[in-house]
Amino acid sequence: MNKESQNRLEHFATLKSKYQATQYEDSLPASLLYLILRKLDLGIELLDLESNWLGESQLKETLEAIKQDQKHKVQEFRNLEFEFSKLKSKYKATNYNVSWQSTHLYFILLKLESGNLLTDLEVQWLRRSGLYETNQIAQEVKRFTQLKSQYKATQYQDSYPDSFLYQILKKLEVTERLSDSEYNWLLNNQLLETAEIFQQQESVKETHFAQLRDKYQANKHLDLSLSSPLYPILQKIDAKDNLSESEINWLEQQGLNETIIIAQELEQTREFAALRYKYKVTRYEDSSPKSHLYKILKRLEFSNQLGEQDINFLTKRKLTEIIEIANEKYAFTLKYKIDLGELLNESEIDWLQNNRREDIIILAQQKHFAILKRKYRLIYLSLALEPFYAIMVKLEKKERLDPKLVLQLMEEELLSPGGKIALAYYRLEAEFYEQEFHRTGNKWDIPTVSSYWRKADEPEQALKLTKLDLNQIKESKLKSAISVTRGAAFRDMDNLADAEICANKAMEYHPHSHQPYTLMGAICYDKSDYAKGDYWYEKAIKRGAKPEDIDNERKRVVRSTKDENKRHEAAEYLLKKDSQRYAWAKSYLKKSSDNAR
């Protein structure tokens, strides 16, 4: 018998023993039983014909052994599947749904669970599979393992990142103080070498604390423990970090004023160095915060503008770069102020002029001009900056306009009744002449002032001014003039009855003046009694009024009529009277018909 046959016979005998078929006498490798047992051993399911043969061959024990083996395999399969599910949950891989039989994940997770580090290929596989959280845990396991080796704790089996030991080792890594419970935990888990490392760290820190107390004059503080608030404060000072307000308050409460002074001097020295770098001060040797330069640079951080004394100090020391930087900062601040729509004051404008920054002055004027144009409702007009900006600035300051500027307004027809700029101008004139009247007592100023108040659309002021006892005035012409302007103010307020009374009185006072008759004509037009109005207008012409002035008066009456229907009616009357002479009235017919549509 050759060796191969001998091996087959031995294999057959082993299988018969395994599946309890030793009573079967046939030991030939060509046996049917050998075929069946080999299939079972390879995990191949038997066919019905083969199962039936076993039953017929009185191999019941073999059949029972086969059932138990299959049952064990099914249970083992389930166990593997359950363990895989638990590992996936623990290592954040539940979204990975591939069967455990066909993936590397089971092996990798089990490797992590046993505390072994992953290879680079395994880490890459996790990333490619989108298992980023799993990979993150793997990195934490790796770090935990390294820390255990570094701090003599390799005998501790658990390597999962939620381990209490991991939190302790991370604190040791940054030399953070352990709590009593953490230190006792190390002792209870026989991690004596790790506990010894902690004690060594504490000893080094105690020495360091003593050195810092001496260095920063804090030896009077009695609490020498590492848990004292003083230790982190001194560490902060030594690390060149600024102290918080609460830390300074604590030092004050402990009477550690010398420590505070040292900390503040160091902070100011650092700040001075930073400011010198920022403002390109390379040639100035004095680095002490007591230097006047430090005060200048610090002020410059907040105010942007240098005082004359500071400029002299810098000029003498040839630190002109700081002046240039300061000027640029201040110029930028002024431009920003302009962009916000704020006005520059006189000192700011003076500074710009002295520093030849006409560009910013022009920008400020243009911005302010646009604001004033909106205020005076002139945004639709294309007005030149000069002289109209100067005009509006004067009006804003309540300064009277020069005759030349008034002429400019008239040329642009900006003194038409009702315009915002006209109202501002006439109000200033009214206030000026009223002050003149009160100063001089010249009653001939009253008609002038009243006229300006009316043009400023403030007829109430005109009525207040003209409320006089005319019997105290001797001059008939003056009494007539005051009565006319008072009547006109009543007419502005649609009080036609009182207006008519004033007009009649004015006629009585001065029958030969055309103004009372012109006023009466306007009152009649307001009442829609156009024929009677013309009667009074004719009387005015006979007393010296120019026909063209009367026509302009008619035009003003029609234009100022608020009621559309009455305006239409007046326009129709004038066109019937003389369509050529009053051709301008056609525009009011058109406006009325447009409104009707």
Side-chain angles (χ1 to χ4, degrees), residues 250-488:
W250 186 88
L251 290 172
E252 285 179 345
Q253 292 168 5
Q254 306 305 312
L256 298 171
N257 296 319
E258 296 88 348
T259 307
I260 295 173
I261 292 170
I262 293 171
Q264 290 176 338
E265 285 182 353
L266 290 172
E267 182 180 337
Q268 290 170 352
T269 301
R270 289 192 297 272
E271 184 183 27
F272 189 20
L275 289 173
R276 289 174 63 187
Y277 178 79
K278 180 178 179 178
Y279 290 99
K280 302 177 183 177
V281 183
T282 55
R283 301 189 304 274
Y284 196 73
E285 294 182 359
D286 188 357
S287 60
S288 168
K290 296 178 182 179
S291 165
H292 184 62
L293 178 61
Y294 171 58
K295 297 174 183 176
I296 291 175
L297 297 182
K298 195 167 182 180
R299 278 201 300 271
L300 194 54
E301 283 293 285
F302 297 101
S303 66
N304 291 332
Q305 189 177 11
L306 293 174
E308 186 177 349
Q309 183 181 355
D310 294 338
I311 292 173
N312 292 336
F313 176 89
L314 295 170
T315 303
K316 286 179 181 178
R317 288 155 183 81
K318 298 181 180 180
L319 297 172
T320 54
E321 301 92 340
I322 299 176
I323 299 174
E324 292 172 4
I325 294 172
N327 287 346
E328 281 302 314
K329 283 186 67 178
Y330 188 54
F332 178 81
T333 300
L334 295 182
K335 287 173 73 174
Y336 182 70
K337 184 177 180 179
I338 293 166
D339 290 337
L340 291 177
E342 298 179 19
L343 301 181
L344 301 184
N345 57 45
E346 289 185 8
S347 65
E348 290 168 337
I349 294 172
D350 289 342
W351 184 90
L352 290 170
Q353 290 173 338
N354 294 335
N355 287 274
R356 299 179 181 179
R357 294 308 301 263
E358 287 78 10
D359 57 322
I360 300 178
I361 294 174
I362 293 171
L363 174 66
Q365 290 175 343
Q366 289 171 339
K367 291 275 187 179
H368 192 204
F369 188 37
I371 293 170
L372 292 177
K373 283 178 70 177
R374 281 194 293 273
K375 177 178 179 178
Y376 289 102
R377 299 179 184 174
L378 300 174
I379 199 72
Y380 59 91
L381 291 178
S382 179
L383 299 175
L385 184 68
E386 292 299 337
F388 296 103
Y389 175 63
I391 288 172
M392 286 187 273
V393 168
K394 276 182 170 290
L395 293 176
E396 285 293 292
K397 293 180 178 179
K398 298 187 181 300
E399 296 177 4
R400 293 184 69 217
L401 302 182
D402 300 331
K404 186 178 178 181
L405 296 178
V406 176
L407 184 61
Q408 292 275 359
L409 292 176
M410 292 173 67
E411 287 176 355
E412 293 291 336
E413 297 183 353
L414 295 177
L415 290 182
S416 302
K420 295 279 281 186
I421 203 164
L423 294 175
Y425 164 71
Y426 289 127
R427 187 178 297 110
L428 281 175
E429 293 300 292
E431 289 171 348
F432 170 77
Y433 282 108
E434 187 164 343
Q435 287 174 359
E436 283 296 295
F437 163 64
H438 290 303
R439 183 177 66 84
T440 64
N442 183 4
K443 289 185 172 57
W444 273 105
D445 285 334
I446 293 174
T448 303
V449 176
S450 176
S451 175
Y452 279 128
W453 277 126
R454 288 181 55 237
K455 289 178 181 178
D457 198 23
E458 297 186 43
E460 304 90 346
Q461 295 294 330
L463 291 175
K464 182 179 177 182
L465 179 70
T466 56
K467 190 177 181 181
L468 302 169
D469 182 2
L470 297 183
N471 293 324
Q472 301 295 320
I473 299 174
K474 295 179 180 180
E475 296 177 76
S476 297
K477 289 182 180 180
L478 178 56
K479 290 196 284 187
S480 177
I482 293 173
S483 297
V484 169
T485 191
R486 184 171 176 80

Side-chain angles (χ1 to χ4, degrees), residues 209 212-213 218-219 221-237 250-251 254 256 259:
F209 187 19
L212 291 178
R213 291 197 306 274
N219 283 319
H221 190 64
L222 299 178
D223 186 357
L224 306 182
S225 68
L226 295 177
S227 59
S228 167
L230 179 61
Y231 186 36
I233 290 176
L234 296 181
Q235 284 179 306
K236 200 171 182 181
I237 297 172
W250 186 88
L251 290 172
Q254 306 305 312
L256 298 171
T259 307

Side-chain angles (χ1 to χ4, degrees), residues 151 172 183 186-187 191-200:
Y151 293 102
L172 289 178
Y183 179 69
L186 291 174
L187 297 178
L191 296 170
L192 303 181
E193 288 183 283
T194 309
E196 178 60 28
I197 291 173
F198 166 66
Q199 289 295 348
Q200 291 171 2

